[in-house]
Amino acid sequence: MKISFVGKGGSGKTTLAALFARHLAGTTAPLLAIDADINQHLAAALGATEHEAVLLPALGDHLGEIKEYLRGDNPRISSAAAMVKTTPPGRGSRLLRVDGANPLYDSLVREVGGIRLAVTGPFATEDLGVACYHSKVGAVELLLNHLVDGPDEYVVVDMTAGADSFASGLFTRFDTTFLVCEPTLRSIGVYRQYVGHAREYGVRVRVVGNKVDDASDVEFLTEHVGDDLLTWIGRSSYVKAAERGVPQPITALEPANRNALDLMRATVDATAKDWATYTRQAVEFHLRNATAWANDRVGEDLADQVDPEFVLGPTAVDLADHA
């Protein structure tokens, strides 16, 4: 399952993404975590020091390498330079597995706190005025478009805050979307904005309340998000200690909060996998981007990159050069 954590900036989505990843890491399930947030705090939330986080290789700095590898021998893609963030896989493309060995993982994935982590990379000073952060997040979209996850395998992605992920089709690249919501009107506003877009594409959003102090907070969330409220995380001395640089084993998390993580995982595991819709939406956004800007930028009709007979999924590994 591919899982995203979204929400208002400061809502605690990175903290919850890290908690959930650590919860999953307590099992034997293959796991990959990705930081796609412009603020790049997931490594620290997983236990990396500031120095260690700075040294992590950035996906956004290796777009050419990523494109060249994923392109493989796909005859519909004329060159790596002709690939854009929405380019879908086809016969001849290289596909990724969650725990598979491949050159991209070797160069771009590092273990942090016992969890395999890839980071988009920060928006740097040299990017000001010349680059868009969404071009860096495009590396994440390419990886997800070419990744085949199997049963009991997980990809946890800490997304950009608010509705920024709607700048591309990235918001459709997940089987489960957890929207982290504080019991405040500002956080509820982000929830309404997000679900307003997501539901147009059949993206089911499950709300996880955070920083919940008492029953009145739960009542407030229930009043405003209704059945979308899945569970909530209460104020936590465990989280406070971690944010002060004193991480503890995940087993030290408060029982009520651990139960919330159990429910989140059960919800993920009960979600039906729909590879046909996943592929169709990838193609839809690719064609939209091609018409809007990519054809002019690349100098080709990128609709020709679409392989109409290809559907991503377990059976696709027989049609692609997978890793």
Side-chain angles (χ1 to χ4, degrees), residues 70-79 82 88-94 300 304-307 310 319-321:
L70 296 178
R71 176 191 171 214
D73 296 320
N74 187 334
R76 293 179 174 273
I77 303 174
S78 62
S79 67
R91 285 168 291 184
S93 298
R94 289 192 177 101
E300 298 179 17
D304 293 338
Q305 294 180 341
V306 176
D307 185 342
F310 184 87
L319 301 174
D321 185 14

Side-chain angles (χ1 to χ4, degrees), residues 28-70:
T28 58
L31 169 66
L32 176 65
I34 302 176
D35 192 346
D37 188 359
I38 191 171
N39 292 312
Q40 296 288 281
H41 293 319
L42 186 56
L46 290 173
T49 65
E50 184 176 348
H51 177 68
E52 290 169 337
V54 169
L55 294 179
L56 293 173
L59 297 175
D61 294 338
H62 295 268
L63 267 173
E65 176 186 339
I66 292 170
K67 291 177 179 180
E68 190 63 59
Y69 181 79
L70 296 178

Side-chain angles (χ1 to χ4, degrees), residues 115-137:
I115 294 170
R116 294 161 58 241
L117 173 68
V119 303
T120 301
F123 190 81
T125 301
E126 57 267 24
D127 295 326
L128 294 174
V130 296
C132 171
Y133 187 72
H134 294 296
S135 66
K136 295 190 173 186
V137 177

Side-chain angles (χ1 to χ4, degrees), residues 238-252:
Y238 174 94
V239 170
K240 182 183 291 186
E243 292 176 344
R244 292 177 174 177
V246 187
Q248 304 170 62
I250 191 65
T251 52

Side-chain angles (χ1 to χ4, degrees), residues 104-160:
L104 295 185
Y105 288 175
D106 290 343
S107 61
L108 299 173
V109 175
R110 297 291 184 269
E111 187 170 298
V112 176
I115 294 170
R116 294 161 58 241
L117 173 68
V119 303
T120 301
F123 190 81
T125 301
E126 57 267 24
D127 295 326
L128 294 174
V130 296
C132 171
Y133 187 72
H134 294 296
S135 66
K136 295 190 173 186
V137 177
V140 177
E141 191 162 359
L142 277 168
L143 292 180
L144 295 179
N145 274 344
H146 290 77
L147 194 150
V148 178
D149 42 311
D152 298 317
E153 296 181 339
Y154 303 92
V155 181
V156 175
V157 182
D158 181 21
M159 288 288 291
T160 52

Side-chain angles (χ1 to χ4, degrees), residues 8 11 179-192:
K8 181 182 72 66
S11 64
L179 190 149
V180 180
C181 191
E182 300 169 272
T184 67
L185 288 176
R186 286 186 62 194
S187 204
I188 292 297
V190 171
Y191 155 78
R192 288 174 176 160

Side-chain angles (χ1 to χ4, degrees), residues 1-312:
M1 287 289 165
K2 301 178 179 75
I3 306 139
S4 69
F5 282 80
V6 301
K8 181 182 72 66
S11 64
K13 66 178 182 59
T14 298
T15 298
L16 261 66
L19 280 177
F20 191 64
R22 295 186 67 192
H23 184 65
L24 294 175
T27 70
T28 58
L31 169 66
L32 176 65
I34 302 176
D35 192 346
D37 188 359
I38 191 171
N39 292 312
Q40 296 288 281
H41 293 319
L42 186 56
L46 290 173
T49 65
E50 184 176 348
H51 177 68
E52 290 169 337
V54 169
L55 294 179
L56 293 173
L59 297 175
D61 294 338
H62 295 268
L63 267 173
E65 176 186 339
I66 292 170
K67 291 177 179 180
E68 190 63 59
Y69 181 79
L70 296 178
R71 176 191 171 214
D73 296 320
N74 187 334
R76 293 179 174 273
I77 303 174
S78 62
S79 67
M83 292 182 73
V84 294
K85 61 185 179 180
T86 54
T87 295
R91 285 168 291 184
S93 298
R94 289 192 177 101
L95 302 183
L96 306 173
R97 303 304 297 259
V98 174
D99 62 347
N102 63 70
L104 295 185
Y105 288 175
D106 290 343
S107 61
L108 299 173
V109 175
R110 297 291 184 269
E111 187 170 298
V112 176
I115 294 170
R116 294 161 58 241
L117 173 68
V119 303
T120 301
F123 190 81
T125 301
E126 57 267 24
D127 295 326
L128 294 174
V130 296
C132 171
Y133 187 72
H134 294 296
S135 66
K136 295 190 173 186
V137 177
V140 177
E141 191 162 359
L142 277 168
L143 292 180
L144 295 179
N145 274 344
H146 290 77
L147 194 150
V148 178
D149 42 311
D152 298 317
E153 296 181 339
Y154 303 92
V155 181
V156 175
V157 182
D158 181 21
M159 288 288 291
T160 52
D164 285 353
S165 59
F166 292 100
S168 71
L170 186 55
F171 73 100
T172 67
R173 302 297 82 201
F174 304 99
D175 303 293
T176 302
T177 295
F178 290 126
L179 190 149
V180 180
C181 191
E182 300 169 272
T184 67
L185 288 176
R186 286 186 62 194
S187 204
I188 292 297
V190 171
Y191 155 78
R192 288 174 176 160
Q193 182 185 30
Y194 199 98
V195 297
H197 294 303
R199 283 177 177 158
E200 294 181 29
Y201 294 89
V203 175
R204 177 67 190 274
V205 175
R206 307 306 300 267
V207 172
V208 178
N210 194 31
K211 305 177 186 177
V212 170
D213 288 318
D214 51 35
S216 68
D217 288 340
V218 177
E219 292 172 4
F220 178 88
L221 289 169
T222 303
E223 175 187 355
H224 289 281
V225 311
D227 292 339
D228 285 340
L229 181 63
L230 174 67
T231 188
W232 55 88
I233 301 291
R235 296 282 183 177
S236 170
S237 58
Y238 174 94
V239 170
K240 182 183 291 186
E243 292 176 344
R244 292 177 174 177
V246 187
Q248 304 170 62
I250 191 65
T251 52
L253 184 66
E254 298 84 0
N257 290 335
R258 289 184 65 188
N259 289 340
L261 296 178
D262 283 334
L263 178 57
M264 291 167 66
R265 180 179 180 180
T267 300
V268 169
D269 291 344
T271 302
K273 196 80 176 181
D274 188 347
W275 287 112
T277 298
Y278 193 85
T279 303
R280 176 180 55 77
Q281 290 180 334
V283 169
E284 176 183 344
F285 278 95
H286 178 63
L287 295 177
R288 182 180 300 182
N289 277 269
T291 301
W293 59 270
N295 287 346
D296 290 339
R297 180 174 299 179
V298 176
E300 298 179 17
D301 183 359
L302 298 187
D304 293 338
Q305 294 180 341
V306 176
D307 185 342
E309 298 180 20
F310 184 87
V311 176
L312 189 66

